[in-house]
Amino acid sequence: MREPTETPQVDQTPQTPQAPQGLQHIHGVPVLFCASDGEPLRGEREALDLIGDAFSLGAAWVVIPAGRFEDAFFQLSTRVAGDIVQKFVNYRLRVAVVGDIARHTAGSTALRDFVRESNRGTQLWFVPDTEALSTRLGPQP
């Protein structure tokens, strides 16, 4: 066996922490975390792809970074949000949109109301970060 003639270079760049990806368990709940840099979610087709991934991994929740949605999702008159959420409801999967959506809610009373009502339920939550999601999924007093 020949010895390598060069010493392999090791990247010494410090790594920044990344959001979780893939299947994780939070308080025993299987949660599929979508990558923040994936394809934008434009509609039902992309939702069905995520639903298939969630089913194959046994997830009960799908966590989607807010940045993965195009602006049309946050404009309720386009019905994009309703179409996407309905797909998840049909397959009995829950969804959490994680991240700052203040720029969208600032200009839309309807969206603020939608977010508030969604957060009262158990199907769709809008949370600022994964810690808030973990708190909501944890044991309730």
Side-chain angles (χ1 to χ4, degrees), residues 17-22 33-41 63-69 98:
Q18 294 187 2
Q21 291 183 38
F33 284 87
C34 299
S36 59
D37 60 350
E39 291 290 320
L41 273 77
V63 174
I64 306 168
R68 292 275 304 270
F69 292 101
V98 176

Side-chain angles (χ1 to χ4, degrees), residues 34-44 46-47 50 62-75 78 80-85 88 95-101 103-104 111 114 124-127:
C34 299
S36 59
D37 60 350
E39 291 290 320
L41 273 77
R42 294 181 178 97
E44 294 178 46
E46 292 84 6
L50 287 178
V62 177
V63 174
I64 306 168
R68 292 275 304 270
F69 292 101
E70 294 190 336
D71 286 346
F73 178 86
F74 299 102
Q75 297 164 358
T78 66
V80 172
D83 291 344
I84 289 173
V85 172
F88 283 95
V95 180
V97 176
V98 176
D100 182 9
I101 61 167
R103 76 177 180 93
H104 299 290
L111 181 60
F114 178 69
L124 171 65
W125 293 342
F126 292 85
V127 294

Side-chain angles (χ1 to χ4, degrees), residues 3-97:
E3 292 293 320
T5 57
E6 293 182 26
T7 305
Q9 298 296 315
V10 177
D11 184 7
Q12 298 296 326
T13 307
Q15 299 296 315
T16 57
Q18 294 187 2
Q21 291 183 38
L23 188 68
Q24 310 262 333
H25 286 80
I26 300 176
H27 302 291
V29 178
V31 178
L32 174 61
F33 284 87
C34 299
S36 59
D37 60 350
E39 291 290 320
L41 273 77
R42 294 181 178 97
E44 294 178 46
R45 184 182 58 117
E46 292 84 6
L48 287 171
D49 289 344
L50 287 178
I51 289 166
D53 292 345
F55 270 117
S56 71
L57 296 170
W61 278 86
V62 177
V63 174
I64 306 168
R68 292 275 304 270
F69 292 101
E70 294 190 336
D71 286 346
F73 178 86
F74 299 102
Q75 297 164 358
L76 298 181
S77 62
T78 66
R79 301 178 67 167
V80 172
D83 291 344
I84 289 173
V85 172
Q86 188 61 51
K87 284 294 177 199
F88 283 95
V89 169
N90 291 346
Y91 288 94
R92 294 190 170 101
L93 283 171
R94 296 175 173 159
V95 180
V97 176

